[in-house]
Amino acid sequence: MAIVSLVALFILSVGFAKIMAICVNWMCALRLPREFVFADKTLNLVLITIYPLVLLYGLGPQICQEHSWSDIHPAWWPPIALGIVGACLLISSTVRYWRYRPACELSVSSQLVDLRTSPDWQLRLIGTRRRWGRLAALPGNEQFTIEVSTRTYHLPCLPACWEGLSIVHLSDFHFCGRINRAYFEAVCDQAAALQPDLFVFSGDLLDDQDLLTWLPETLGRLKAPLGQFFVLGNHDWYLDPEQTRREFIRLGWTDVASQPVTLTRPDQPTAPPLILCGDETPWMGSHADISQFPPDALRILISHTPDNIDWARSHGIHLMLAGHTHGGQIRLPILGPIYSPSRYGCQYSAGVFWREPTLMYVSRGISGKEPLRYNCPPEVTKLIAVRPDPAMLRPMQ
Ligand SMILES: [Fe+2]
């Protein structure tokens, strides 16, 4: 009986931890100062640690020795209720994680590129500039195992002239000094080899403004026939976003958060254009003004956070590319990701989602402030859009 009670306490503690994770995910989705977010994360970790100890100290003797849950003092009801609600939410998010199927996906070819091939890989890749860089060398850490993939999707409403449009989507570099520039150069080599029509970067370049000097040798080297386009993220907003923006532009990248860009096929100038717009809300700027978009244009949104999916849907965006969530960085066995900084929690932590009329791709990104990745490798992804074949059309998921 004591074992059953201890298991019940464990489940309540896990449920409480889920509630705390939901709070952190919400906080990181809001326009809050970096110090506030850091304090919130710290407080959450303290509460997650304290909760089981308090429960064990306060209720342990009663439920383990007297085997009675029925006459618990009412003061314990709120924390117990939190634990029960959290456990239910954890079950719900776990079911959603296992039921996830990539939407509109026609084909995938993917390979894992392990950068730890030479004996001196730690010396080359792990930075000494900041503490905690050694986390990257932990056994099983996938930080230096990049998934390079080419994914083809049906995109309803894709104009014929844009059939086969290819985009390499990169996100969340987080230059902070815990990982050396050599890693990001290798990432960009992989991206360049994919030879897309255009490159897209969906924000969070920096955690240390001094490392903006790494940009020319990394993203600054990428060139595509239709161009290179970027938005910034909340970690860029914490620093000096205007300096970062200027450096991107100097290197030939186009800032789509400031103004939408119209692209046309050089050989078909009268065909429907492609409109690329950006969204850095809630941290910077405002949603794009789409009132002037031609009705037949292909509309692509680059948004740092997937939380702008509702705006994209209500404004007829056809394809939305986002980052910010890093796929959760650590995906637990069975449970999947726990931390994913979004109003939707882990629902849009990574992958492709069809939310009519918008197809959204959320990248796991390249790195993070903490160089830790389990069951969640960094990704360099080339997306190819094709028109659905009416004869083969299946219901969208
Ligand atoms: Fe990020």
Side-chain angles (χ1 to χ4, degrees):
M1 197 63 183
I3 294 290
V4 173
S5 296
L6 285 174
V7 169
L9 285 182
F10 175 74
I11 291 171
L12 288 175
S13 301
V14 171
F16 181 78
K18 174 67 177 175
I19 295 281
M20 291 295 99
I22 290 171
C23 292
V24 166
N25 290 339
W26 259 88
M27 289 292 183
C28 293
L30 303 175
R31 188 179 191 274
L32 296 171
R34 176 167 49 172
E35 295 74 17
F36 192 93
V37 172
F38 177 77
D40 179 59
K41 285 181 177 175
T42 308
L43 178 65
N44 268 263
L45 283 177
V46 169
L47 291 176
I48 287 171
T49 309
I50 285 177
Y51 180 90
L53 300 177
V54 170
L55 232 57
L56 200 61
Y57 180 77
L59 292 178
Q62 185 176 350
I63 60 174
C64 292
Q65 292 165 19
E66 301 169 23
H67 312 310
S68 169
W69 283 80
S70 55
D71 51 354
I72 288 172
H73 191 280
W76 288 102
W77 294 352
I80 288 175
L82 268 183
I84 293 171
V85 170
C88 293
L89 291 172
L90 184 62
I91 292 169
S92 150
S93 64
T94 304
V95 169
R96 190 188 298 121
Y97 175 66
W98 280 97
R99 290 185 63 186
Y100 168 78
R101 296 287 179 275
C104 309
E105 197 157 77
L106 271 183
S107 66
V108 180
S109 77
S110 129
Q111 61 164 331
L112 290 174
V113 177
D114 193 343
L115 300 180
R116 300 168 298 176
T117 46
S118 61
D120 67 338
W121 69 269
Q122 293 198 23
L123 212 58
R124 277 191 309 112
L125 301 177
I126 298 178
T128 52
R129 191 182 169 102
R130 296 270 297 271
R131 287 183 300 161
W132 305 110
R134 303 298 303 171
L135 287 174
L138 285 177
N141 192 350
E142 296 169 322
Q143 177 61 65
F144 300 123
T145 309
I146 311 163
E147 184 185 16
V148 181
S149 61
T150 299
R151 298 172 180 272
T152 305
Y153 296 106
H154 275 149
L155 192 59
C157 304
L158 183 72
C161 64
W162 295 107
E163 175 78 7
L165 174 73
S166 63
I167 302 170
V168 164
H169 179 200
L170 298 164
S171 195
D172 295 85
F173 275 37
H174 288 272
F175 294 162
C176 67
R178 288 174 178 152
I179 294 178
N180 281 340
R181 194 179 76 185
Y183 167 71
F184 300 99
E185 290 175 356
V187 164
C188 290
D189 288 344
Q190 294 293 331
L194 292 172
Q195 298 184 323
D197 293 323
L198 53 105
F199 285 105
V200 158
F201 179 70
S202 53
D204 274 4
L205 179 74
L206 299 172
D207 278 303
D208 180 341
Q209 194 67 32
D210 291 345
L211 299 183
L212 187 57
T213 53
W214 290 6
L215 195 58
E217 294 304 316
T218 53
L219 289 172
R221 286 192 286 117
L222 300 181
K223 296 282 179 277
L226 294 178
Q228 305 79 237
F229 305 90
F230 77 95
V231 298
L232 300 182
N234 55 316
H235 284 251
D236 303 308
W237 173 66
Y238 295 150
L239 304 170
D240 184 348
E242 293 318 309
Q243 186 192 24
T244 307
R245 215 179 288 281
R246 284 195 298 274
E247 182 66 353
F248 261 114
I249 293 168
R250 188 184 73 79
L251 294 167
W253 284 67
T254 303
D255 172 16
V256 286
S258 302
Q259 197 168 17
V261 171
T262 302
L263 303 175
T264 52
R265 283 284 192 203
D267 51 337
Q268 302 176 54
T270 56
L274 186 168
I275 309 256
L276 265 170
C277 50
D279 201 325
E280 296 171 346
T281 65
W283 300 284
M284 292 173 279
S286 55
H287 297 305
D289 176 9
I290 65 156
S291 58
Q292 304 302 318
F293 288 9
D296 60 347
L298 172 64
R299 303 174 178 195
I300 299 180
L301 175 71
I302 309 169
S303 168
H304 181 57
T305 172
D307 286 0
N308 289 318
I309 179 65
D310 290 338
W311 182 90
R313 294 182 66 194
S314 61
H315 290 76
I317 298 294
H318 300 122
L319 177 63
M320 173 174 164
L321 305 173
H324 183 53
T325 49
H326 303 195
Q329 283 197 214
I330 296 174
R331 296 186 158 222
L332 299 176
I334 302 172
L335 300 178
I338 301 296
Y339 285 106
S340 174
S342 161
R343 283 193 284 124
Y344 299 96
C346 300
Q347 183 175 357
Y348 298 132
S349 64
V352 63
F353 306 87
W354 170 247
R355 298 289 181 265
E356 191 173 6
T358 305
L359 187 74
M360 175 169 72
Y361 189 85
V362 184
S363 169
R364 296 188 301 271
I366 297 301
S367 189
K369 272 188 83 176
E370 293 77 25
L372 273 177
R373 284 182 177 260
Y374 286 89
N375 199 21
C376 187
E379 67 169 277
V380 173
T381 302
K382 180 180 180 181
L383 306 167
I384 299 177
V386 297
R387 300 203 305 163
D389 178 350
M392 296 174 59
L393 195 59
R394 292 175 301 167
M396 298 295 188
Q397 295 176 41

